[in-house]
Amino acid sequence: MTFAPDEARIPGAADDRTVVGANLSLPLFRTLSGVLAGHQYLKVVVDRAEDTWHLLDTRVHPFHVDYIATRVLGMTADELDAQLDEFNASVYMASDRRFLLGVLSLHCDEETDGPERPFLVLETTEADTMHGALLEDFYHYVRNRVDGRLPLLLKPANHGQEHELASVSETRIPRILSQELFGNRTRTCLNPGVTEGRLRYFHSLDEYRDAAAELGWQDIVAMACLPDDVPRVAGFINTEPTTPLSHTNVLASGWGIPNAIVRDLDALVERDGLAEAWVRYRVQEDAITLERLAGAPELEQPVWHQQRIRIDAPLLGDAPIMALHRLRRADRDSYGTKAANLGELHHVLDSRTADLTAFYARPRPPRPDLLTHLASRLGEPGASAERLRAAAAEWVAATVRAPEGVALPFHLHHLYLTSSPALQQGIGKLKMALELDALDMVDSLSLDLQHLMHSMPMPDEVARAITGSVPRLLADERRLVVRSSSNAEDLPGFSAAGIYDSVTTVRGAEQLLNAVRHVWASLLSPRSVRLRHEVGISLDDTYMGVIIQEYVPADLGGVLVTCNPTRREDFRNVYLNCTAGSPERVVDGTVLPHQYLYNTVEGGGRTVDVGSSGTDLSMDTRAALSQLALVGRLLQSHFSEDEPDDALDIEWLMTAEGAFRLVQVRPYAW
């Protein structure tokens, strides 16, 4: 549950039932409360100067600051808007503040013998910087005025508050962490949306594999954890925990289909007879529902069936193998989007000339912009616009590094394909099947082509060019990573997350050549061919570049997206996932990662989930991750091109020395 400060203006109503100074009983709580994320909640304001508190009627006063300004201090809404940031700082960040703002939410524990035991949780907004003494004052003020039969726990709203409370006994302030409160949530939004379709619930991977070929756009696929090769359908349901940054949810976001965790699906299916039924599936941040329909509705083909992705014609001329740092974004037509973006990242870090402030310079009504917040985050209060641009570039260059490596151009892939009459014949058959929409033949033709590519040696000139591009690394038997860089991935509207292959355990020339062939062949996997065909990307226009890098061991790896995937109106937070080792473990679902939200406007971060590890990362590591989150937000201004609010998807790793390396930068489709 998240309570963000001031994002709208709703005037008071005549039937305002706000209460001042009264003790809080459960009936009064229920009278005044609203519902968020399935829990009743009530906003409270403690006025330290008047030694009283206000229990706000949630339907009338959705925002603390509006109530304080207009009802307590006598300001007009226009006066508040004109000084909103200063006012927020006085109530959320001042150490000697007059007002303490928070939320009480109602939860229930299930005792071993069955009955539910209600309890209250007190928390502030995520941007609140209350120190330990204020948190203690706030808790005890509320505790003394709430029905003593109701247990009251304090939930730290961010990592700073956790740190402040670390030295305070839990006897003095009983508390609960967010991941403890919501870690076993029955239903969790991953990608919001609504759809109608037929529920296909699979209880095992084998059961899914047996039915996969018959799945169509009208199906809603449900299973414990969806596989990365799931086809494009109407909706996804996971019955076990996963992350919004998994490959399958990135695909759901890009496809615009609803996705959620529904841990009680067994009970819903049995209670409502949903097995193989037609249902209306609705996923919202605070509610997830499956409603059985009377029969098969008259469904129109989804928008994505008419979606057409345009890609520029690949440049197949005699382009050389290039070091990544020599590429720029415009080179994607010869080397692929992934390689070109990494080259652009090198340029941003080395030249420090890019304007990384565009996201913060946009109007955020009633604010003209967020530049004062950015100046605070960068430790440059009062800086001019020019100095702020320089400071942002310096911050990014000091915090992250771009990977070293080389990029193989489409030219080499083209030479390989045209060197074999058998390959050319097979590609011709596949193109004909696609033109005739003979999709029953596409899979077998694609698999035949992949098998042929894995067994067919490279022309000598191609092999020599590849092995000659990294002679030092091959001579030392260094471990290499070989990654895809197609012109049909990392595109607005077509991310292709998890569709093409990488090989991460390469040593020696023979393994290198095999790995390059493997990555080239992944362009012809049945799934990738089908998905491109659905959006109108021609096989003639699709080529694979390849990135060769030295393997860098990582203590921590992960993914961040410069948005809140489950709350699209949230312009403050970025979502960061990580786990020990490589970023691949986050996106492929092999482990449940640590999950964090970091506020890149007012600052601060909070833990969403501690994942499979069961324990949170250290305070120092979480502080370093907050710096990485700000880097992601700043890079968004440059890489999102024409629309600074378009989010990025960034894969990263942290070495044993604590240095961050970014290994991929691409658009995050949502």
Side-chain angles (χ1 to χ4, degrees):
M1 191 180 301
T2 303
F3 304 95
D6 69 278
E7 290 185 9
R9 295 282 176 266
I10 299 180
D15 60 346
D16 187 352
R17 291 170 288 186
T18 293
V19 175
V20 180
N23 287 345
L24 181 63
S25 63
L26 191 55
L28 179 58
F29 177 94
R30 295 188 188 279
T31 298
L32 299 174
S33 65
V35 176
L36 182 64
H39 297 279
Q40 289 182 289
Y41 76 101
L42 171 67
K43 285 181 167 61
V44 301
V45 173
V46 172
D47 187 341
R48 302 170 76 202
E50 298 293 334
D51 190 25
T52 191
W53 72 333
H54 303 245
L55 308 176
L56 308 190
D57 185 341
T58 302
R59 287 157 288 242
V60 179
H61 302 293
F63 303 106
H64 294 89
V65 292
D66 286 357
Y67 177 82
I68 296 170
T70 60
R71 297 300 182 92
V72 180
L73 301 179
M75 298 170 63
T76 67
D78 288 342
E79 288 172 334
L80 175 60
D81 284 350
Q83 52 182 302
L84 184 59
D85 287 331
E86 294 85 351
F87 193 89
N88 278 341
S90 73
V91 296
Y92 293 120
M93 299 170 190
S95 59
D96 59 348
R97 66 189 76 174
R98 171 180 171 180
F99 300 102
L100 305 179
L101 284 58
V103 174
L104 282 166
S105 53
L106 182 64
H107 303 262
C108 286
D109 266 344
E110 292 186 1
E111 303 285 4
T112 54
D113 57 356
E116 294 183 336
R117 182 174 66 93
F119 66 95
L120 292 174
V121 172
L122 175 66
E123 63 182 299
T124 70
T125 71
E126 63 181 28
D128 200 301
T129 60
M130 277 192 198
H131 54 70
L134 273 182
L135 287 167
E136 190 166 358
D137 287 349
F138 191 29
Y139 173 82
H140 287 296
Y141 194 98
V142 174
R143 173 69 281 175
N144 291 335
R145 288 158 180 79
V146 170
D147 187 333
R149 293 170 295 182
L150 284 172
L152 176 66
L153 304 177
L154 180 68
K155 180 166 81 69
N158 50 54
H159 293 151
Q161 290 186 7
E162 288 182 34
H163 180 68
E164 288 290 322
L165 289 169
S167 60
V168 180
S169 164
E170 293 202 34
T171 303
R172 288 166 56 192
I173 304 183
R175 72 203 67 159
I176 190 168
L177 299 178
S178 178
Q179 59 267 28
E180 296 170 334
L181 188 62
F182 298 120
N184 293 318
R185 182 181 290 173
T186 302
R187 302 180 195 175
T188 304
C189 168
L190 295 174
N191 194 61
V194 61
T195 191
E196 293 181 350
R198 180 179 54 172
L199 182 64
R200 305 297 305 276
Y201 185 14
F202 302 109
H203 296 84
S204 70
L205 186 58
D206 288 342
E207 189 178 318
Y208 163 81
R209 296 289 183 212
D210 290 342
E214 67 187 44
L215 293 175
W217 59 265
Q218 75 281 5
D219 290 319
I220 299 168
V221 178
M223 57 192 301
C225 184
L226 282 87
D228 280 355
D229 62 358
V230 64
R232 204 164 186 175
V233 290
F236 294 159
I237 300 175
N238 302 265
T239 60
E240 291 185 0
T242 186
T243 166
L245 302 190
S246 66
H247 274 152
T248 51
N249 196 55
V250 171
L251 292 173
S253 177
W255 294 340
I257 63 175
N259 187 16
I261 301 168
V262 183
R263 300 175 74 171
D264 60 341
L265 186 61
D266 278 330
L268 292 179
V269 168
E270 182 176 352
R271 185 192 71 191
D272 299 332
L274 299 182
E276 299 295 315
W278 291 90
V279 299
R280 180 175 294 110
Y281 175 38
R282 186 182 302 274
V283 177
Q284 299 169 299
E285 184 188 8
D286 59 351
I288 297 161
T289 58
L290 282 162
E291 175 190 354
R292 178 167 183 156
L293 302 176
E298 293 185 7
L299 298 178
E300 295 183 1
Q301 287 191 339
V303 172
W304 56 260
H305 256 261
Q306 290 79 44
Q307 181 187 24
R308 289 297 176 262
I309 301 297
R310 178 185 174 276
I311 63 174
D312 294 330
L315 301 181
L316 304 178
D318 192 9
I321 296 175
M322 293 278 279
L324 285 176
H325 71 266
R326 296 181 60 191
L327 297 179
R328 294 292 301 275
R329 187 157 37 188
D331 291 313
R332 58 191 168 200
D333 294 337
S334 295
Y335 297 88
T337 311
K338 190 179 298 180
N341 280 354
L342 290 178
E344 187 73 16
L345 177 62
H346 272 281
H347 171 72
V348 169
L349 300 182
D350 295 342
S351 72
R352 305 189 186 185
T353 58
D355 180 7
L356 305 181
T357 66
F359 174 87
Y360 289 89
R362 300 200 70 174
R364 308 287 175 179
R367 306 169 181 82
D369 55 58
L370 299 174
L371 291 174
T372 56
H373 290 282
L374 176 59
S376 178
R377 302 281 71 74
L378 297 176
E380 297 276 350
S384 66
E386 182 179 0
R387 173 57 200 150
L388 206 52
R389 285 194 292 271
E394 292 164 4
W395 173 277
V396 171
T399 308
V400 300
R401 295 176 60 185
E404 301 296 334
V406 300
L408 310 185
F410 300 155
H411 170 64
L412 294 182
H413 184 206
H414 179 68
L415 286 179
Y416 175 69
L417 293 177
T418 56
S419 70
S420 166
L423 273 177
Q424 289 298 295
Q425 184 180 30
I427 291 171
K429 291 180 180 178
L430 178 59
K431 286 161 54 177
M432 181 65 71
L434 291 170
E435 289 172 7
L436 297 174
D437 273 335
L439 298 182
D440 56 331
M441 299 175 57
V442 166
D443 287 6
S444 61
L445 289 171
S446 297
L447 289 171
D448 288 345
L449 279 168
Q450 284 192 293
H451 178 73
L452 182 58
M453 291 183 72
H454 287 144
S455 61
M456 193 185 79
M458 290 186 186
D460 288 344
E461 62 174 311
V462 175
R464 284 195 303 270
I466 294 172
T467 56
S469 67
V470 286
R472 179 179 58 84
L473 300 181
L474 291 176
D476 295 343
E477 286 288 315
R478 305 270 185 97
R479 179 176 169 182
L480 304 177
V481 176
V482 178
R483 300 182 184 278
S484 67
S485 182
S486 170
N487 62 336
E489 64 180 321
D490 299 347
L491 302 172
F494 191 75
S495 74
I499 292 175
Y500 306 124
D501 291 343
S502 295
V503 185
T504 62
T505 55
V506 177
R507 280 191 169 89
E510 183 179 354
Q511 288 188 15
L512 174 60
L513 296 178
N514 288 339
V516 170
R517 280 203 306 270
H518 183 87
V519 172
W520 283 341
S522 68
L523 197 68
L524 292 170
S525 71
R527 183 168 182 248
S528 70
V529 170
R530 280 174 172 265
L531 289 175
R532 291 194 306 271
H533 180 66
E534 286 172 355
V535 297
I537 297 177
S538 169
L539 195 61
D540 284 332
D541 292 334
T542 309
Y543 279 85
M544 180 67 78
V546 176
I547 300 169
I548 303 173
Q549 302 165 254
E550 182 179 358
Y551 172 79
V552 177
D555 275 8
L556 202 64
V559 179
L560 72 87
V561 293
T562 57
C563 63
N564 181 347
T566 65
R567 190 165 176 257
R568 300 185 176 189
E569 69 275 16
D570 179 4
F571 61 83
R572 290 175 163 85
N573 288 290
V574 305
Y575 201 84
L576 187 149
N577 284 191
C578 60
T579 190
S582 79
E584 284 80 6
R585 300 181 72 210
V586 171
V587 295
D588 67 10
T590 55
V591 297
L592 189 63
H594 289 85
Q595 301 177 44
Y596 301 100
L597 278 168
Y598 285 102
N599 185 326
T600 58
V601 178
E602 290 89 2
R606 60 189 179 90
T607 302
V608 177
D609 199 309
V610 296
S612 304
S613 72
T615 59
D616 210 344
L617 298 174
S618 71
M619 181 64 72
D620 288 346
T621 300
R622 286 180 287 165
L625 293 177
S626 72
Q627 297 180 355
L628 178 64
L630 181 56
V631 165
R633 179 69 85 199
L634 293 170
L635 289 174
Q636 177 180 336
S637 293
H638 181 73
F639 280 91
S640 296
E641 299 188 22
D642 298 330
E643 177 48 68
D645 276 0
D646 286 348
L648 294 183
D649 175 341
I650 298 174
E651 290 188 17
W652 57 271
L653 56 86
M654 186 175 73
T655 65
E657 296 76 27
F660 288 113
R661 292 174 181 255
L662 306 188
V663 296
Q664 181 169 279
V665 179
R666 64 183 177 188
Y668 179 71
W670 70 329

